Structures are given as C-alpha cells and as structure tokens.
C-alpha cells in the first residue's frame, strides 16, 4: 500500500465553491485535484493499492481509496466535483467516523495531526534537504507527506520532524506536489517491487 | 534544450470550445494542458530550456517556449485559454510562419510530420516495448514524442519507427502522457546533466 497525504492550506471546507475557478476562489483546489490524478492514474487503469488523503485547511480530510474508486476521471474539474460532493456530506461526519460520498471517496472531520496519528506505514517527509531517493531502501508501506503551493508551516514541519521515519528528496529540482507523486510512483515502480 | 511533442488526436482546431468542458466537447484538451504543466513547472520556477509542441488534430501546432513564457499558470483551465487564444490567431498563420498569440505561445499551420521535420535533436519514441530509460545514455537535446489518451495511429507509429533515434520506456507501467513528461524530466534532472 502506498499512501499520500497532501495538505491544502487554503482549500475550501464548505461545498459553496465554483468549479470554474479552482485556481482562484476555490483556494487552489486545482493543485489537490492534480495530486489525486497523479496518485491513481495509469495509462488504462487505476492504481488500486493506493490511498490519498487531502487535508482541507486542517479541518476535514477527504480520502480516495484506489480499490473502491469508480467515478474518478483525470481532469481537475471532475475531481473537484467529487471533493465538493464529499464536502456536502461534512455535517454527517461525526467524531472521526468517515462518510462515503461516492464510491471510494470519503470525508472525515480530521486535521493533519489526527490524520498522521491514524495512518500505518513508513512516514516519508519529502524535503529538499532530504536523502536522495535513490539512496533510500524502498519501504514496504510508504506514506508520503506533501504540501500544496505553500511550504509546510513551522508547526507542520515540527510535527513532521518528530514523526517522520525518513526525510527524502526526489531529485535536484524542487517539484510541484503532483509531479513529486508521479516521481515517487516511478521510483517505487522501477526499484521497489517490495511494496507490491 | 528538452522538447516534447504531444499529439492531440481529438483536439480542437477552432477556438469555439468551452473552458468548462475540456474533457468532453473540447476533445480531451485537459490532457494537453496537463502536458504543458508537466513540461514547464518547477516548484517556484518555469523550466526555461524547454519547448513543448501540441499537435492539434494533425492541422495546427501550438508551441510553448519556456524562455519566453509569461502568463502560464498550472491549472488546466488557464492553459486551455492560452491554446484558445492561439487558435483565435490561426487565420494569421500563413504557410509555416508562426504567429505569437501571447508571450511564449505561438501557432503554426503544421501537422505531425512537418513538425518532426522542423525539429532538431535526438528523437525519442516513448514506447512500452522500448529500452528502459536507465539503460539509455541521456541525449544532449532530446525530443520526446507522446500521444494523448489515444495510442499512436499506425501511420504515426510507422513515421516514428522511421524517424526515431531511440525507442525508450520509462518504467514497468504505462503512464499518462503528462506523467511520462514528469518522469522524463526527473530522469534527466537526476542522471543527465549533459543537456544543461
């Protein structure tokens, strides 16, 4: 199982945003949609053994479960509609119980720290000062933590410094979160068949 | 210089498409927009030494020139607007002369074969039966050729078989075109500083 946690600092926590302005009024939801795309799509298939968690403004977490996904399409707009559907069910998410809003998509009332608490696996902090990925033994169940268009806040960095099992960099260039997911997959596809 | 040629088989050749339906009525223009994103964006920068050519239905080619790009944003919708602006200038593209529609974006009346004829560099056909990229010496000026959500047609494959300098695969999984661009960049960033 490969997991990705993506922090959406400005992401909406209510469903009243327009699909026509994802990069503006919807708080750069376009970034999170591309991360979902990178996490799941192969040329003619979905990566079933993947789970992606979008942490929306440290309030709600929308989880995509590869094994159960049915209506995911590659474009940003349709993925944003799935996130909006999840947010329409936010009032039904009581305590830490998830609510499934469409096949393979669920929402929980849970911020970043509680999301990390709940995940099993080897926590990997992607960081430009980390160990080059080619020098790291691919873990069996990696959990990659990424940030949207903003850097991690100092509190988030402190939490990751405390919790992460490894700090890794994917290459000499700092990448967008969705590109980092694609590169991480390729690295594991090519080098690390342990996780499959 | 790294170049990418992406074939948009169903892409529009007129500007009368809606930005709200890129994955539908606009002939999967969302795929081409994500390819532009992958070709150019770094975390807080544009890759200047990159050129991307979108071949629209074998009729027009819209070229993005990293060095000159000014108004490129990462989301699909705004990139589609740049392509639409280029198509609005299609009547001004006479012969093979380019017309610049916005800084770093130009349109030419040119299909796939003529685009290949015009490019300098080492032509790389990305193909699932190709040589693993890790076994290939990174070329100085690679030109990667990719297809959208459709496979290459038999005519396109024949042309590539005839013209390509190498047939390469990026990993054990068949990838979407935009993910393939990201992986190709990472490979060259990590292994192949010859091109920079």
């Amino acid at each position: 199982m490969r997991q990705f946690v993506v922090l959406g600092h400005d992401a909406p926590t209510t469903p009243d945003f327009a699909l026509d302005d994802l990069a503006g009024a919807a708080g750069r939801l376009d970034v999170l949609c591309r991360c979902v795309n990178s996490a799941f799509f192969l040329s003619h298939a979905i990566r079933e053994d993947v789970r992606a968690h979008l942490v929306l403004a440290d309030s709600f977490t929308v989880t995509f479960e590869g094994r159960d996904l049915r209506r995911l399409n590659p474009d940003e707009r349709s993925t944003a509609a799935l996130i909006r559907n999840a947010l329409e069910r936010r009032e039904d998410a009581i305590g830490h119980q998830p609510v499934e809003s469409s096949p393979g998509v669920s929402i929980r009332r849970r911020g970043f720290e509680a999301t990390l608490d709940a995940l099993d696996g080897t926590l990997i902090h992607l960081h430009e000062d980390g160990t080059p990925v080619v020098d790291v033994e691919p873990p069996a169940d990696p959990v990659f933590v990424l940030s949207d268009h903003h850097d991690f806040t100092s509190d988030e960095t402190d939490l990751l410094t405390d919790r992460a099992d490894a700090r890794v960099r994917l290459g000499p260039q700092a990448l967008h979160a969705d590109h980092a997911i694609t590169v991480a997959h390729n690295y594991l596809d090519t080098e690390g068949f342990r996780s499959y």
Side-chain angles (χ1 to χ4, degrees), chain A residues 123-164:
Chain A
L123 197 67
I124 297 175
H125 180 187
L126 292 177
H127 192 287
E128 61 193 281
D129 295 329
T131 309
V133 68
V134 291
D135 297 333
V136 175
E137 187 79 2
D141 293 296
V143 180
F144 295 93
V145 183
L146 307 101
S147 185
D148 58 4
H149 59 298
H150 293 303
D151 291 336
F152 291 112
T153 66
S154 58
D155 282 355
E156 290 160 358
T157 300
D158 289 347
L159 189 63
L160 281 169
T161 302
D162 186 44
R163 301 284 185 88

Side-chain angles (χ1 to χ4, degrees), chain A residues 175-193:
Chain A
L175 302 178
H176 280 203
D178 57 315
H179 300 167
I181 291 172
T182 299
V183 170
H185 268 320
N186 182 256
Y187 173 66
L188 293 169
D189 289 346
T190 309
E191 303 284 340
F193 280 83

Side-chain angles (χ1 to χ4, degrees), chain A residues 22-175:
Chain A
L22 298 177
R28 295 305 310 276
L29 201 58
D30 63 310
V31 179
L32 301 188
C33 294
R34 285 195 298 280
C35 287
V36 172
N37 172 314
S38 296
F40 291 105
F41 280 102
L42 290 170
S43 189
H44 295 289
I46 292 279
R47 292 182 186 266
E48 295 200 352
D49 208 16
V50 168
R51 203 175 282 151
H53 311 273
L54 309 180
V55 183
L56 309 179
D58 207 23
S59 301
F60 292 97
T61 295
V62 175
T63 295
F64 289 71
E65 175 73 52
R67 205 178 312 276
D68 302 327
L69 277 173
R70 289 296 171 276
R71 291 182 213 145
L72 187 68
N73 288 302
D75 65 297
E76 292 167 8
R77 187 183 172 96
S78 64
T79 302
L82 294 180
I83 297 170
R84 193 167 69 171
N85 290 347
L87 282 168
E88 278 168 358
R89 299 293 305 279
R90 74 197 185 287
E91 300 293 347
D92 301 329
I94 297 167
H96 280 182
Q97 290 303 306
V99 176
E100 190 171 64
S101 52
S102 56
V105 183
S106 58
I107 185 166
R108 281 179 180 80
R109 193 175 295 272
R110 193 183 257 174
F112 179 42
E113 183 165 7
T115 294
L116 289 189
D117 287 344
L119 297 183
D120 289 326
T122 302
L123 197 67
I124 297 175
H125 180 187
L126 292 177
H127 192 287
E128 61 193 281
D129 295 329
T131 309
V133 68
V134 291
D135 297 333
V136 175
E137 187 79 2
D141 293 296
V143 180
F144 295 93
V145 183
L146 307 101
S147 185
D148 58 4
H149 59 298
H150 293 303
D151 291 336
F152 291 112
T153 66
S154 58
D155 282 355
E156 290 160 358
T157 300
D158 289 347
L159 189 63
L160 281 169
T161 302
D162 186 44
R163 301 284 185 88
D165 299 293
R167 199 156 76 156
V168 169
R169 75 176 304 175
L170 295 170
Q173 303 281 10
L175 302 178

